[in-house]
Amino acid sequence: MSAVELRSLPEHVDSARPPKPSLFRTLRFRLMLSVALVHAVLMGTFVWSEVGKQSQAIRADLYSRAHSLITLMAVASTNALLAEDLGSLAEVTQRVKRQPDVMEGAIIDVRGDVLASTDARQVGHRLRLPDAALARQGHGRLRLEEQIRVAGQRVGTVLLEMSTRHLQSELAATRDEGLLFILLALVVGSVAAWVLSLFITRNLHILMEAARRIGSGDLGVRVALPARDEVGLLGGAFNAMAESLQRISAQVQNEHEKRTDAERLACVGELSASIAHEIRNPLSAVINSVKLLDRSNLPAGDRAQAIAILNTESLRLQRILNDFLDFARIRESRLQEGDICGLVEEVAGLIRQHPQAAAVKVEVECDAHHSRARHDPDQLRQVVWNLMLNAIQAIPDRGELRVRVERAAGTVRVSITDNGSGIPDHLLDKIMRPFVTGRKQGTGLGLSIAQRILMQHGTVLSIVSHVNVGTEVSFDLEAT
Ligand SMILES: Nc1ncnc2c1ncn2[C@@H]1O[C@H](COP(=O)(O)OP(=O)(O)O)[C@@H](O)[C@H]1O
Ligand SMILES: [Mg+2]
């Protein structure tokens, strides 16, 4: 029979399980320990007081038997003592001997001579006796002495010794029984507490498992606990919470999708506006030049100038379109392990041959043994090219471009430093956006392309720049 179950729990959900607490810290153990202890203490107190009462009753029974017996002895031997009838006195002691627990019984005259005794060897011996009736206990025996008086005169003494061994064993048995009862109470209490705790914690475990699954993202989880006790009510509250969590999550998801759609549209709009803006000027120049060339009476000098404008502006249009295609067509990175030094040296070699690098000293600092990292070689070549090109374009006259590849904790850092014009503050914040450029001939796509490629490598560009001092652009790759 199972009144408790988990519904709609997909088996594939795999989230970190909470560490199991040690047995002594579990609610189950603590509950069991406290119930068992309370049970044992209460039962123990009760049983112990019962054992005490029973022991007292056993002891009182022996004392009362002993007193009755010694009184009987005294009464039965008074006449025989007065008549000095040793035979009757011996008969009295023999009858006493047959009673249970009697160890010794003796009748003594006023001088202390033993007239009759259960132990025949004692007869005729003289004993020293106290003046009054006494009862003493010790060494497994209870000793009673009673004086026999006639008309106020002491005529003799009776002496009785009873064994307390039987009493002791009865007391021990009662005590053992009591201890057994306490032990039994402890065991029964523990078992009862265990069953109780099992019942309570089983439901708590179901709740815990459901909470864990919610934590791992499965918001469809619900628990079905019978709503009869507090844990059942907790289950109901849990379900209500999961319900509203699921509803809120769906709303958030919905909002998020709407926002991303809006952002995507805004981005497309922005990009289209930027492209239109970028190509409008060169296109107007091309159109005006074509109109000029169309005139039949155009002087040869103007014709040459119009052709030159056509040439530069169509090249500019081509560059804008090529850069934009590079930006739009960035494919998924195919990361592989490889040497960054070799790649940087290769790009540096190409940059040195670039017309704008004629007066620039290009240097590479690299430790080839510590420069292996995960990267897409073709894409990384483009990143390094774009960054080096920006650097040499920022050096107006003579200058220096330094590329450093160094190994840090778990990464290979590539930094490109120049002592060129630097980037003004107003440009620095938006420099990564497409079509943001600070140069007349620029398209503003070089850094955006580099940034997008690096993001696919799990890293980003960082730029430190000071106007008229220089710029350092760097990024980290995962070392291998
Ligand atoms: N190393 C640098 N030194 C100075 N300015 C730079 C440097 N790198 C980039 N910039 C600035 O950032 C702008 C954007 O660069 P980029 O995205 O490559 O586009 P583009 O080079 O086509 O202008 C550049 O126009 C330039 O103003
Ligand atoms: Mg550039």
Side-chain angles (χ1 to χ4, degrees), residues 48-124:
W48 208 242
S49 99
E50 283 305 303
V51 166
K53 279 185 207 160
Q54 225 170 311
S55 308
Q56 254 176 346
I58 294 169
R59 221 175 256 127
D61 179 54
L62 182 76
Y63 280 111
S64 128
R65 270 198 304 126
H67 277 292
S68 307
L69 205 56
I70 202 164
T71 311
L72 259 171
M73 266 177 89
V75 171
S77 47
T78 307
N79 288 337
L81 245 178
L82 290 173
E84 292 192 0
D85 178 359
L86 293 181
S88 299
L89 289 177
E91 205 180 310
V92 171
T93 52
Q94 285 316 307
R95 258 191 277 143
V96 164
K97 197 179 180 179
R98 286 198 289 274
Q99 295 302 313
D101 298 327
V102 171
M103 289 177 76
E104 198 182 338
I107 303 162
I108 301 152
D109 65 10
V110 277
R111 290 180 302 275
D113 290 337
V114 178
L115 302 178
S117 170
T118 48
D119 181 2
R121 289 166 302 173
Q122 296 288 328
V123 179

Side-chain angles (χ1 to χ4, degrees), residues 357-368:
V360 179
K361 193 171 157 203
V362 180
E363 276 186 14
V364 177
E365 275 177 35
C366 195
D367 178 359

Side-chain angles (χ1 to χ4, degrees), residues 323 385-391 393 436-437 439 442-448:
D323 277 4
W385 172 264
N386 286 3
L387 300 180
M388 283 199 197
L389 194 62
N390 277 349
Q393 285 168 345
V436 172
T437 179
R439 294 186 301 113
T443 59
L445 289 169
L447 285 179
S448 338

Side-chain angles (χ1 to χ4, degrees), residues 101-332:
D101 298 327
V102 171
M103 289 177 76
E104 198 182 338
I107 303 162
I108 301 152
D109 65 10
V110 277
R111 290 180 302 275
D113 290 337
V114 178
L115 302 178
S117 170
T118 48
D119 181 2
R121 289 166 302 173
Q122 296 288 328
V123 179
H125 282 82
R126 177 164 291 185
L127 293 176
R128 214 171 60 80
L129 289 170
D131 294 333
L134 267 183
R136 273 173 284 160
Q137 197 187 344
H139 300 295
R141 56 185 61 200
L142 173 71
R143 187 184 163 96
L144 275 84
E145 292 161 6
E146 189 161 319
Q147 294 174 2
I148 304 169
R149 290 179 179 273
V150 176
Q153 279 291 309
R154 196 172 94 181
V155 291
T157 306
V158 280
L159 195 141
L160 180 69
E161 258 186 17
M162 302 270 289
S163 165
T164 56
R165 203 155 289 142
H166 186 223
L167 165 90
Q168 300 293 354
S169 67
E170 248 182 279
L171 287 181
T174 313
R175 195 190 51 228
D176 289 352
E177 236 171 71
L179 279 175
L180 202 71
F181 251 103
I182 294 172
L183 207 70
L184 205 70
L186 201 69
V187 172
V188 170
S190 304
V191 171
W194 183 257
V195 173
L196 181 75
S197 64
L198 212 70
F199 184 72
I200 295 174
T201 53
R202 192 177 60 150
N203 289 350
L204 286 182
H205 274 118
I206 288 174
L207 274 169
M208 195 172 74
E209 174 67 8
R212 190 183 66 76
R213 291 199 175 200
I214 286 213
S216 70
D218 177 10
L219 299 183
V221 67
R222 299 287 181 276
V223 292
L225 305 175
R228 281 179 308 209
D229 56 7
E230 287 85 342
V231 183
L233 293 179
L234 183 63
F238 178 89
N239 285 345
M241 180 200 74
E243 195 78 45
S244 75
L245 211 60
Q246 199 173 21
R247 207 175 42 247
I248 292 167
S249 164
Q251 280 170 3
V252 169
Q253 179 73 21
N254 210 359
E255 287 296 318
H256 178 70
E257 272 166 20
K258 271 192 213 158
R259 201 171 315 136
T260 16
D261 281 351
E263 274 169 12
R264 207 174 292 136
L265 276 176
C267 190
V268 170
E270 204 178 313
L271 263 181
S272 319
S274 302
I275 298 168
H277 178 77
E278 286 303 308
I279 62 174
R280 191 168 50 196
N281 286 347
L283 204 59
S284 310
V286 167
I287 291 167
N288 289 338
S289 303
V290 170
K291 271 186 193 160
L292 267 178
L293 287 174
D294 202 28
R295 282 192 207 160
S296 50
N297 56 349
L298 192 70
D302 289 352
R303 172 176 291 271
Q305 199 183 353
I307 289 174
I309 291 173
L310 256 182
N311 204 20
T312 13
E313 293 307 315
S314 54
L315 278 176
R316 179 163 160 72
L317 276 172
Q318 190 186 36
R319 201 168 53 245
I320 291 171
L321 286 177
N322 282 344
D323 277 4
F324 182 70
L325 280 179
D326 280 348
F327 175 75
R329 281 201 208 132
I330 294 173
R331 56 165 174 78
E332 281 292 304

